[in-house]
Amino acid sequence: KLTLDLKIQNIIYEELTKSENIFSSKGSLGLLINVTNGEIISMGSKPDYNPNHPITIKPFSENNLITDARFEMGSILKIYNAAMAFENKSVKEDELYDVSEDYELTKTYKVTDSTKFLEPINFEKIFTHSSNIGSIKIYETIGKDKQKFFFKNIGLSKHTKIEGLSTIDNKLPNDEQWNEVISKSISYGYGLSITPLSLVTTFSSLVNGGFKIKPKIIESDNIMKERIISGQTSQKIGDLLKKVVENGTGEKAKVKNLGIGGKTGTAKKSNKIGGYHKNKVITSFLGVFPINKPKYLLLILFDEPQKGSNSLIPYGSNTAAPVFSRIVNKIAPILNVEKVENNEKNLLLTNQTIQ
């Protein structure tokens, strides 16, 4: 028996199709997983094809982007940077970091931020506003060796497999390549490419209390309970993801009366000559709900989206985040996720009762 839900599968497919038409993207995907047991509830990858009409099948449409493609995920990986900092107790959350000047990564390349901060900012603001420069400065408190250990421990260096489907490896730098420049690039989302399946599998451990999971599309009672990060770190990551949606780049992912946490991602696509395209990007949003007790994680990703009818720059915040919001609003009742009606009113009534 499959873990997939046909109704949810159809909702995600329809929303991806609508959004592809708006953004004229090269491809897109949606992947919903239960973070407590690894069950995949929905996976959709476009472009797709109709097997009943083989003559119409276009090149690459048979690829499942979730298991057969790798992406440099950009800012989503900054949350791994935050988790490393929590695990190693390497930062004080009230410490301030100067991110006003571009960061010289190499003699020929400087790292910039899309939002400029003239005043020093704290740990929380670095992540809620997705500062590349701030992420590098957080990494500098951790170091290369601890970064390599964390990525191995969380499972990104391993081949994420799933019974019934073909999968490919992630592509991480080898020991000789993994130098300080690569480590700093990884801290803000570049320098390694991973499959969406591997991303949601490892990210689940960051929000489910710190436990390793094994993704599956065939139902079974086999649930892993191996702890790989502390429960305290997982709780702090959940709080941080909630603030990204409440006050940061993920605001358009909000769902009325439902607690959401998540992270946006916008990454330039690499080219064949060793650099990056100026105008070709991968945009994404990885969201968790309900954030007060995480159970579901949904990844939405667009490959090379263009400016839509709203004429906004194609960032993860303008493309994937609002699509996430629409999908979760529709599928929450199917998943029996309870929405909390009017939190402020309930809090007021509670306070009156106490008084």
Side-chain angles (χ1 to χ4, degrees):
K1 184 179 179 182
L2 296 181
T3 62
L4 301 173
D5 185 293
L6 188 59
K7 291 181 181 178
I8 293 175
Q9 186 82 358
N10 190 52
I11 289 170
I12 291 178
Y13 180 85
E14 286 184 345
E15 287 295 337
L16 288 178
T17 302
K18 289 178 189 175
S19 301
E20 271 200 338
N21 292 333
I22 293 172
F23 301 122
S24 301
S25 58
K26 182 179 177 181
S28 62
L29 65 88
L31 176 56
L32 177 67
I33 192 170
N34 183 325
V35 302
T36 65
N37 59 18
E39 289 186 351
I40 291 177
I41 300 157
S42 176
M43 60 162 60
S45 170
K46 293 177 66 62
D48 59 357
Y49 63 96
N50 187 338
N52 295 310
H53 303 286
I55 197 171
T56 65
I57 298 177
K58 296 180 180 179
F60 305 112
S61 63
E62 294 175 273
N63 290 354
N64 182 351
L65 298 180
I66 291 166
T67 59
D68 290 332
R70 289 184 292 255
F71 302 94
E72 285 184 280
M73 292 304 306
S75 295
I76 283 178
L77 290 192
K78 292 173 183 174
I79 297 300
Y80 293 83
N81 210 37
M84 283 188 284
F86 290 140
E87 281 289 274
N88 290 286
K89 298 179 174 58
S90 62
V91 295
K92 295 178 180 178
E93 294 175 55
D94 59 350
E95 188 173 344
L96 296 177
Y97 297 85
D98 183 2
V99 297
S100 59
E101 299 289 334
D102 293 346
Y103 189 96
E104 188 176 287
L105 185 63
T106 68
K107 291 182 179 179
T108 58
Y109 184 75
K110 289 186 177 182
V111 178
T112 62
D113 281 335
S114 56
T115 301
K116 284 288 184 183
F117 295 97
L118 299 180
E119 299 293 329
I121 59 177
N122 61 16
F123 182 90
E124 179 184 309
K125 204 162 188 177
I126 284 173
F127 292 99
T128 56
H129 289 79
S130 203
S131 168
N132 296 329
I133 300 166
S135 293
I136 294 175
K137 295 199 171 185
I138 295 296
Y139 157 76
E140 289 177 331
T141 69
I142 302 166
K144 180 180 67 175
D145 292 337
K146 290 179 180 178
Q147 184 191 60
K148 290 168 69 174
F149 173 81
F150 183 86
F151 275 67
K152 181 179 180 180
N153 188 51
I154 202 78
L156 283 171
S157 63
K158 298 176 182 177
H159 187 167
T160 305
K161 298 179 181 180
I162 184 168
E163 185 180 357
L165 296 174
S166 65
T167 57
I168 62 173
D169 281 323
N170 292 335
K171 189 175 182 180
L172 276 68
N174 59 38
D175 287 338
E176 292 181 359
Q177 296 170 327
W178 204 319
N179 54 31
E180 279 296 315
V181 172
I182 288 292
S183 282
K184 290 175 182 178
S185 299
I186 289 172
S187 74
Y188 65 98
Y190 290 89
L192 77 172
S193 54
I194 60 178
T195 66
L197 178 65
S198 177
L199 173 67
V200 300
T201 300
T202 55
F203 205 95
S204 292
S205 299
L206 299 183
V207 297
N208 70 2
F211 296 99
K212 185 177 182 179
I213 66 164
K214 185 176 181 180
K216 55 190 173 185
I217 58 170
I218 299 173
E219 284 190 4
S220 73
D221 296 326
N222 184 19
I223 300 176
M224 303 181 73
K225 277 296 179 182
E226 178 187 349
R227 178 176 291 283
I228 51 178
I229 64 170
S230 71
Q232 186 180 31
T233 290
S234 182
Q235 179 62 53
K236 288 182 176 181
I237 289 297
D239 293 341
L240 194 59
L241 293 173
K242 183 179 180 181
K243 290 170 182 174
V244 170
V245 173
E246 287 180 343
N247 308 307
T249 58
E251 285 188 297
K252 292 181 181 178
K254 289 179 180 178
V255 177
K256 188 176 181 181
N257 299 324
L258 180 60
I260 300 293
K263 185 69 185 77
T264 55
T266 306
K268 293 180 180 179
K269 291 186 71 173
S270 58
N271 58 39
K272 295 180 180 179
I273 59 175
Y276 290 88
H277 293 285
K278 289 185 177 180
N279 300 313
K280 293 182 179 181
V281 295
I282 299 292
T283 65
S284 56
F285 183 81
L286 187 58
V288 184
F289 64 99
I291 193 59
N292 60 318
K293 192 175 181 181
K295 187 172 182 181
Y296 300 106
L297 188 154
L298 173 62
L299 170 66
I300 301 297
L301 180 147
F302 291 100
D303 184 2
E304 294 185 27
Q306 309 300 314
K307 285 185 179 181
S309 55
N310 53 18
S311 296
L312 295 173
I313 298 173
Y315 292 141
S317 57
N318 296 328
T319 56
V323 175
F324 170 93
S325 176
R326 292 197 298 270
I327 289 173
V328 172
N329 190 52
K330 291 180 179 180
I331 68 176
I334 302 173
L335 294 169
N336 294 317
V337 175
E338 184 179 355
K339 292 187 176 182
V340 179
E341 298 291 339
N342 199 337
N343 291 332
E344 292 182 4
K345 182 178 179 181
N346 289 341
L347 182 61
L348 178 62
L349 290 173
T350 302
N351 290 339
Q352 288 174 345
T353 303
I354 293 173
Q355 292 170 359

